[in-house]
Amino acid sequence: TVALLILFSNVMNKVHVPVPSFSLKRKCHMTTLPIFQLFPVVLTIAIVWLFSYVLTELEVFPNNSTEPSFQARTDSRLDILYDSSWFQFPLPLPFGMPTFSAAGYMGMLAATLSSIFESVGDYFAASRFSEAPVPPPHAINRGIFIEGFASIISGLMGAGHATTSYSGNIGIIGITKIASRAVFVTAGVLLVLWGVVGKVGAVLALIPDPIVGGTLLLGLGMVASVGISVLQFCELFSTRNITIIGVSFLMGLMIPQWLIESEAIVKTGVSSRLCNTFSNLIYTPD
C-alpha cells in the first residue's frame, strides 16, 4: 500500500491518462486527466484489496485470528456484511437518557482538550496544503465551536466518539492536491448516505487493516512533515526555541513507551472503569 501510494502520488502524478468525457459543446470526446494524482488512494486501495482477496482465496494468510497476518484477509470481518441491515435510520438517545459523573467529565475533558489542540494544528496544516492564507483566530474559534456542537449531536444519536478533524484526512489533501470545498461537501453527503445504507458501510469496513494502516502511514506522515516545515518561520538559532523543539520530540517518543512499560503504576480504578465502559460501548454488538 505504501509503495503504490508513493508511486502514484510522487512518481506518476504528472502522467495524464486518456479518458472518455462529455460536454455540451464538444459532446462525446476523449480528454486526459492526471488520474494518479487525483485518485491515488482509491486506486491503491482497489489494487491492494484485490491482491489481498487473491491471497486470501489461495489460503496464503492464516485462518487463526490470533495471528497478526490474519487481519490481511478480506474475509476476517465478513460477518459484518451479513449482520448489517440494508437501511438504518439512527434515532435519538438509543442508550437512554444521558448520565453525568465527575469521572466521566474529567476523562472526556482530557480527550476534548487534546482534540482541540490537534484540530488547531489540522487547520494550519490544511491551509498549508491548500496554499490558503493562515486561518485567523476567529475562524479557528468557529471551527472548534462547530466540532463541539457536532459532537453533542453525534452523542445524542448514539455515536461512541466525538466529531472532530482527522489528521489523516488532512494528509489526503497533500497527496491528492485537491482542496475544493465542493469536493468535501460532496464527500460529506456521500458519507451521510452511506451511513444510512448499512451494506455500503459494511463493505467499507471489510477493507483489511494493513491497507488502512498503510494509507494512514503516508497521510499522517505528510501532516507531521508539514508541522515540522512550519519551524522554518521561527528562529532556530534561539536556545529557547531549540529547547522547546527538542523536549517536545523526546517527550512525545518517551512518554508513550514509559506508559506501556509502567501500566501497573499509572493504572487507576477510575481510568480503567472509564476505558472499559467506552470499550463496551464501541465494540459490543448490542
Side-chain angles (χ1 to χ4, degrees):
T1 302
V2 175
L4 287 181
L5 273 177
I6 295 176
L7 176 67
F8 292 158
S9 62
N10 290 274
V11 180
M12 302 178 63
N13 56 333
K14 301 299 183 182
V15 177
H16 284 64
V17 180
V19 294
S21 181
F22 175 83
S23 65
L24 295 177
K25 184 178 181 180
R26 300 180 59 186
K27 304 301 179 181
C28 294
H29 63 281
M30 295 295 295
T31 185
T32 58
L33 292 174
I35 298 295
F36 298 106
Q37 179 178 338
L38 296 175
F39 307 106
V41 177
V42 176
L43 291 175
T44 298
I45 291 178
I47 294 173
V48 184
W49 198 356
L50 178 61
F51 183 61
S52 295
Y53 172 74
V54 173
L55 296 182
T56 301
E57 291 298 314
L58 295 176
E59 295 297 333
V60 175
F61 299 130
N63 291 313
N64 188 356
S65 60
T66 60
E67 297 188 25
S69 53
F70 174 80
Q71 301 300 327
R73 295 183 64 95
T74 55
D75 57 358
S76 61
R77 293 187 293 266
L78 199 58
D79 56 316
I80 298 178
L81 182 61
Y82 296 121
D83 296 339
S84 62
S85 58
W86 278 101
F87 297 97
Q88 52 186 7
F89 298 93
L91 299 176
L93 303 176
F95 304 108
M97 294 298 296
T99 58
F100 301 91
S101 64
Y105 175 80
M106 295 304 297
M108 290 298 97
L109 178 61
T112 301
L113 291 177
S114 62
S115 176
I116 291 175
F117 298 150
E118 179 188 10
S119 295
V120 173
D122 287 342
Y123 299 160
F124 279 92
S127 66
R128 289 291 305 277
F129 278 136
S130 57
E131 300 181 1
V134 175
H138 65 270
I140 296 177
N141 292 338
R142 286 202 305 267
I144 300 300
F145 169 77
I146 291 299
E147 288 187 11
F149 183 73
S151 297
I152 294 175
I153 296 177
S154 62
L156 292 176
M157 301 306 292
H161 53 80
T163 300
T164 181
S165 61
Y166 288 86
S167 301
N169 293 339
I170 307 299
I172 299 300
I173 299 177
I175 296 175
T176 61
K177 310 299 182 184
I178 296 176
S180 170
R181 293 181 180 179
V183 173
F184 286 94
V185 170
T186 304
V189 173
L190 291 176
L191 289 174
V192 172
L193 293 177
W194 291 346
V196 174
V197 183
K199 293 295 184 183
V200 176
V203 170
L204 296 178
L206 296 180
I207 300 177
D209 289 345
I211 299 178
V212 178
T215 304
L216 291 178
L217 189 148
L218 187 59
L220 295 177
M222 293 195 66
V223 174
S225 63
V226 168
I228 296 175
S229 68
V230 175
L231 298 177
Q232 63 181 308
F233 299 107
C234 69
E235 180 56 67
L236 294 180
F237 293 100
S238 169
T239 303
R240 175 180 178 274
N241 291 343
I242 294 178
T243 301
I244 294 174
I245 296 171
V247 171
S248 299
F249 274 108
L250 287 179
M251 295 293 282
L253 295 173
M254 294 166 57
I255 290 181
Q257 184 63 32
W258 181 83
L259 291 174
I260 293 175
E261 297 174 355
S262 310
E263 180 181 359
I265 299 177
V266 298
K267 185 176 182 180
T268 62
V270 173
S271 63
S272 62
R273 288 197 301 271
L274 189 62
C275 290
N276 291 334
T277 300
F278 277 96
S279 297
N280 294 332
L281 177 63
I282 295 173
Y283 296 108
T284 300
D286 296 335

